[in-house]
């Protein structure tokens, strides 16, 4: 027993000391002096990073000296690029543009910031061994763009792939009982069709064509090329190698890594083999004061992810959580205006209404301006439509004003496949309604459709009142149809093109603020709390989830959607089509 308790005591002391040391390191990392980036700095924009609406620092970087792994938020990236224009320590920007998982709205904001940066006469150079089209979209804003001699450039046009589960459900004898309002509301199509309906194919071809035309026009402008010519190159499949891209003016040269570094050193007026002072934006964020300060105060509320009832998690818009945040900003007398940044495909209709109500209350007391990100559609548009002003990018995906509800009938799966039979006694005809183990009666189906139609009517009313559009016009542009920001401006679903800065400027103008500082909601998580969260989540399940998310193959997408379907059964939804994947 002495040996046992001595070992136990030693283990406890060791654990306590270890935790104290870790906490000390994290506290030191949080309070350390600003890093000095030095002179002749070249900022590194790695497009393979996903720039979310709010940044999350990785606390482990303090120990492994991997500061490039700290990924700033999209808005911080924009502000830092603007700040770097006048920072004498920064000589240029190097874009790693091989891959770009960010949406077109985010990419457009980055691209515009880079074009603006070039007015400083500092250099912008882009490089990728093999460059994807979305990587090229941002990279083509550079003064020069290069790729590897044996690499290449993807130049084949856009495609949106949809996965249909009806064949799987047929094999399992699962019957989806679906109710929807809006002939273009295609979110349920993967469950009720084997391929796109004519209506969905029409709307997809339109918004995909809008994005592609906008993409080509942007590339043609910065590369000084003819739009028709570069479109023809994609249609003919003319760009198959890096040499094809170079011969047709899509890239400026074919470089190996050492040749690229030599070129950068030439821009820096250094010797060919000199060490280059590369500074990642995560490190740059800690070394400079790029955030605006002023006597006034405005709030940015970031609404990113699916809209769900309750608190939600850090990747969702939980109605209870966001209602509380909006209310807090509304009741804070120091906050003179609210900017709602929406990046959401929608979700629960009830949760959307809960959030909308709090936005409506806030608008009665102070300006509420909306900025759309990559997507603000369906429930995302529901909460966005009531802003005093609404801004989006031409490549933002929005609209999808429609509603659906569903319930799976798994009776045959249980009886025919698994041999499970069910029985029940009820004292009213619909005591077990809704029920996933039997088919709906005609009356029950009628009630479900009435509920969907009623919520659809409320949705259209919210849009009509918020956007000051007559109801017949709302009905004509609703029907669940997806639009790009280009069409949204024409249809008055938004007020103007613009990024988050434009929305903040509009809110400041309405609130009569000459200068202002910004407070963000949800509040950033401190490093120690984040570390504990990561430590708590360091289990086999989290690792497996991370691996599957990185892979993002067809099997995982299907499994993820099945899980999502389980969560939304029997509840009215304002949700985008299941998967908008553009390649």
């Amino acid at each position: 027993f002495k040996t046992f308790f001595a070992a136990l005591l030693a283990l406890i002391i060791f654990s306590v000391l270890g935790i104290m040391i870790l906490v000390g390191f994290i506290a030191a990392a949080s309070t350390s002096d600003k890093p000095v980036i030095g002179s002749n700095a070249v900022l590194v924009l790695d497009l393979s990073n996903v720039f979310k609406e709010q940044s999350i620092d990785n606390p482990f970087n303090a120990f492994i000296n991997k500061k490039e792994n700290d990924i700033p938020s999209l808005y911080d990236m924009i502000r830092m690029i603007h700040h770097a224009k006048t920072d004498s320590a920064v000589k240029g920007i190097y874009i790693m543009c091989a891959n770009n998982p960010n949406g077109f709205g985010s990419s457009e904001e980055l691209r515009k910031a880079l074009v603006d940066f070039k007015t400083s006469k500092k250099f912008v150079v882009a490089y990728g061994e093999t460059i994807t089209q979305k990587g090229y979209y941002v990279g083509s804003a550079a003064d020069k763009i290069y790729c590897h001699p044996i690499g290449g450039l993807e130049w084949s046009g856009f495609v949106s792939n949809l996965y249909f589960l009806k064949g799987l459900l047929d094999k399992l004898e699962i019957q989806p009982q679906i109710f929807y309002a809006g002939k273009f509301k295609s979110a349920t199509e993967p469950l009720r069709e084997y391929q796109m309906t004519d209506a969905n194919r029409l709307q997809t071809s339109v918004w995909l064509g809008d994005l592609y035309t906008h993409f080509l026009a942007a590339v043609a402008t910065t590369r000084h090329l003819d739009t028709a010519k570069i479109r023809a190159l994609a249609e003919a499949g003319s760009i198959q190698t890096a040499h094809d891209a170079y011969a047709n003016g899509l890239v400026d040269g074919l470089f190996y890594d050492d040749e690229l570094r030599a070129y950068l050193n030439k821009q820096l007026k250094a010797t060919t083999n000199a060490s280059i002072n590369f500074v990642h934006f995560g490190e740059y964020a800690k070394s400079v004061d790029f955030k605006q300060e002023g006597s006034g105060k405005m709030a940015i509320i970031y609404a990113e992810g699916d809209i769900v009832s309750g608190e939600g998690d850090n990747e969702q818009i939980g109605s209870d959580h966001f209602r509380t945040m909006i209310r807090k900003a509304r009741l804070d007398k120091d906050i003179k205006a609210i900017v709602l940044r929406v990046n959401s495909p929608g979700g629960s209709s009830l949760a959307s209404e809960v959030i909308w109500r709090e936005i409506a209350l806030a608008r009665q007391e102070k300006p509420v301006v909306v900025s759309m990100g990559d997507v603000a559609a369906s429930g995302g548009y529901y909460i966005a439509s009531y802003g005093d002003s609404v801004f989006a990018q031409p490549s933002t995906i929005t609209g999808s004003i429609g509603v659906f509800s569903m319930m799976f009938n798994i009776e045959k799966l249980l009886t025919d496949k698994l041999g499970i039979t069910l029985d029940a006694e009820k004292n009213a005809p619909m005591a077990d309604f809704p029920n996933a183990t039997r088919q709906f009666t005609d009356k029950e189906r009628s009630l479900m459709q009435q509920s969907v139609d009623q919520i659809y009517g409320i949705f259209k009313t919210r849009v009509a009142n918020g956007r000051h559009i007559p109801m017949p016009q709302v009905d004509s542009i609703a029907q669940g149809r997806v639009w790009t920001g280009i069409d949204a401006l024409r249809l008055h679903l938004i007020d103007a093109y613009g990024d988050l800065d434009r929305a903040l400027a509009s809110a400041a103008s309405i609130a009569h603020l000459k200068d202002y500082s910004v407070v963000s909601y949800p509040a950033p998580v401190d490093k120690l709390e984040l570390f504990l969260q990561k430590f708590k989540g360091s289990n086999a399940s989290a690792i497996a989830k991370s691996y599957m998310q990185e892979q993002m193959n067809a099997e995982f997408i299907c499994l993820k959607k099945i899980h999502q379907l389980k969560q939304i059964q029997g509840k009215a939804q304002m949700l985008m089509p299941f998967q908008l994947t553009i390649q």
Side-chain angles (χ1 to χ4, degrees):
F1 281 105
K2 287 183 179 180
T3 303
F4 170 76
F5 284 114
L8 180 62
L9 179 61
L11 180 62
I12 293 173
I13 294 173
F14 177 79
S15 299
V16 171
L17 287 174
I19 291 174
M20 291 176 64
I21 291 171
L22 286 175
V23 170
F25 272 126
I26 295 171
S30 301
T31 58
S32 61
D33 294 334
K34 292 180 180 179
V36 178
I37 66 170
S39 60
N40 282 350
V42 177
L43 296 181
V44 178
L45 170 54
D46 186 353
L47 290 179
S48 67
N49 293 322
V50 176
F51 301 107
K52 300 181 74 66
E53 296 296 344
Q54 288 189 287
S55 61
I56 298 179
D57 291 338
N58 187 342
F60 295 102
N61 293 341
F63 311 116
I64 61 177
N65 196 29
K66 286 287 187 179
K67 296 177 182 178
E68 66 269 21
N69 290 341
D70 284 337
I71 303 174
S73 70
L74 176 64
Y75 184 45
D76 283 351
M77 289 294 300
I78 304 302
R79 288 189 286 183
M80 282 189 284
I81 293 172
H82 290 322
H83 182 274
K85 282 178 61 179
T86 56
D87 188 344
S88 60
V90 175
K91 304 305 179 184
I93 295 178
Y94 166 48
I95 307 171
M96 301 168 63
C97 63
N99 188 32
N100 178 13
N102 297 281
F104 273 101
S106 300
S107 298
E108 185 162 5
E109 292 190 30
L110 286 170
R111 195 177 194 280
K112 287 182 176 179
L114 291 167
V115 170
D116 176 70
F117 176 85
K118 291 197 301 182
T119 61
S120 67
K121 305 304 180 182
K122 299 179 181 182
F123 68 83
V124 181
V125 176
Y127 180 77
E129 292 183 350
T130 56
I131 306 174
T132 62
Q133 290 180 116
K134 279 206 293 184
Y136 186 80
Y137 179 56
V138 179
S140 62
D143 301 304
K144 301 290 183 181
I145 181 169
Y146 301 98
C147 70
H148 193 281
I150 312 300
L153 169 64
E154 179 186 60
W155 196 258
S156 55
F158 291 175
V159 60
S160 177
N161 294 308
L162 300 179
Y163 295 89
F164 291 82
L165 304 179
K166 180 168 172 51
L168 171 64
L169 298 179
D170 290 345
K171 290 180 181 295
L172 295 175
E173 295 191 79
I174 297 176
Q175 178 194 15
Q177 302 179 98
I178 297 170
F179 310 88
Y180 61 95
K183 64 181 180 180
F184 290 99
K185 195 62 182 176
S186 57
T188 60
E189 275 193 10
L191 306 174
R192 56 184 168 88
E193 303 288 344
Y194 299 106
Q195 60 186 15
M196 290 187 193
T197 60
D198 291 341
N200 190 20
R201 192 173 298 279
L202 171 63
Q203 74 166 347
T204 302
S205 67
V206 171
W207 66 254
L208 193 64
D210 283 350
L211 285 183
Y212 190 51
T213 299
H214 185 68
F215 164 82
L216 292 174
V219 170
T221 299
T222 52
R223 296 294 303 164
H224 307 293
L225 298 170
D226 181 70
T227 305
K229 177 184 176 182
I230 58 178
R231 182 189 290 270
L233 291 174
E235 292 175 351
S238 301
I239 309 301
Q240 297 298 317
T241 68
H243 294 274
D244 294 335
Y246 177 56
N248 287 281
L250 293 173
V251 298
D252 295 289
L254 308 179
F255 281 179
Y256 289 97
D257 180 71
D258 59 291
E259 294 174 313
L260 175 70
R261 289 173 180 268
Y263 175 81
L264 290 173
N265 272 320
K266 183 178 180 181
Q267 302 303 305
L268 295 167
K269 297 181 174 56
T271 59
T272 300
N273 295 320
S275 177
I276 300 174
N277 182 20
F278 287 122
V279 177
H280 287 261
F281 274 94
E283 185 178 2
Y284 190 61
K286 297 176 177 63
S287 68
V288 296
D289 295 319
F290 61 89
K291 297 181 180 179
Q292 183 172 341
E293 297 292 338
S295 56
K297 184 187 290 187
M298 295 197 296
I300 301 178
I301 300 177
Y302 292 97
E304 183 174 23
D306 291 341
I307 300 175
V308 299
S309 294
E311 290 296 319
D313 58 32
N314 60 358
E315 295 183 348
Q316 294 175 322
I317 305 170
S319 58
D320 289 349
H321 185 41
F322 274 78
R323 175 177 55 194
T324 300
M325 286 191 296
I326 298 169
R327 181 177 297 166
K328 183 177 180 180
R330 170 169 65 90
L331 298 177
D332 189 336
K333 301 301 182 183
D334 292 332
I335 293 177
K336 304 304 181 183
I338 297 171
V339 172
L340 180 66
R341 172 70 171 188
V342 181
N343 196 354
S344 171
S348 165
S349 62
L350 178 57
S352 300
E353 172 71 10
V354 168
I355 296 170
W356 170 88
R357 171 62 179 175
E358 201 60 45
I359 293 171
L361 292 174
R363 188 177 170 183
Q364 294 175 9
E365 300 186 24
K366 57 190 66 176
V368 178
V369 175
V370 174
S371 170
M372 294 182 176
D374 293 322
V375 56
S378 210
Y381 188 74
Y382 193 103
I383 65 175
S385 63
Y386 214 68
D388 290 291
S389 295
V390 180
F391 297 94
Q393 297 291 351
S395 50
T396 296
I397 297 296
T398 188
S400 192
I401 302 168
V403 182
F404 74 89
S405 183
M406 69 174 70
M407 175 68 73
F408 289 104
N409 176 16
I410 61 171
E411 181 180 12
K412 289 188 176 181
L413 170 65
L414 295 176
T415 57
D416 296 350
K417 302 292 186 183
L418 303 177
I420 299 174
T421 56
L422 301 170
D423 199 359
E425 179 64 25
K426 54 186 179 182
N427 56 18
M430 291 191 295
D432 61 343
F433 171 72
N435 194 323
T437 59
R438 65 171 176 81
Q439 189 171 358
F440 288 160
T441 65
D442 290 342
K443 182 176 181 180
E444 290 168 342
R445 294 184 64 84
S446 176
L447 290 173
M448 289 290 290
Q449 188 62 53
Q450 287 177 28
S451 175
V452 167
D453 291 341
Q454 180 185 31
I455 295 170
Y456 180 48
I458 294 172
F459 194 169
K460 291 189 292 184
T461 300
R462 298 286 181 250
V463 174
N465 293 339
R467 300 299 305 151
H468 307 293
I469 301 174
M471 183 60 78
Q473 183 180 342
V474 173
D475 187 65
S476 68
I477 62 179
Q479 300 295 326
R481 183 159 182 172
V482 175
W483 304 99
T484 62
I486 297 170
D487 285 322
L489 180 62
R490 174 177 59 85
L491 299 170
H492 306 294
L493 292 173
I494 65 172
D495 292 294
Y497 297 144
D499 56 10
L500 187 51
D501 265 335
R502 175 78 188 275
L504 285 165
S506 173
S509 176
I510 299 172
H512 306 292
L513 296 177
K514 292 184 178 179
D515 53 33
Y516 57 87
S517 57
V518 172
V519 57
S520 297
Y521 296 91
V525 180
D526 65 60
K527 290 190 173 186
L528 178 57
E529 182 180 349
L530 181 61
F531 169 75
L532 294 175
Q533 288 177 355
K534 285 182 175 290
F535 182 78
K536 182 179 179 181
S538 296
N539 51 45
S541 175
I543 294 171
K545 179 181 177 182
S546 175
Y547 175 78
M548 293 176 75
Q549 286 176 333
E550 288 177 0
Q551 297 303 309
M552 284 303 289
N553 53 27
E555 293 83 359
F556 174 63
I557 292 173
C558 291
L559 289 173
K560 183 178 179 182
K561 294 309 174 186
I562 290 172
H563 176 68
Q564 185 180 29
L565 291 174
K566 182 180 178 182
Q567 292 182 315
I568 67 177
Q569 278 200 91
K571 301 174 183 176
Q573 298 292 308
M574 300 171 178
L575 193 62
M576 278 279 289
F578 269 50
Q579 187 73 26
L580 288 180
T581 303
I582 304 170
Q583 295 178 341

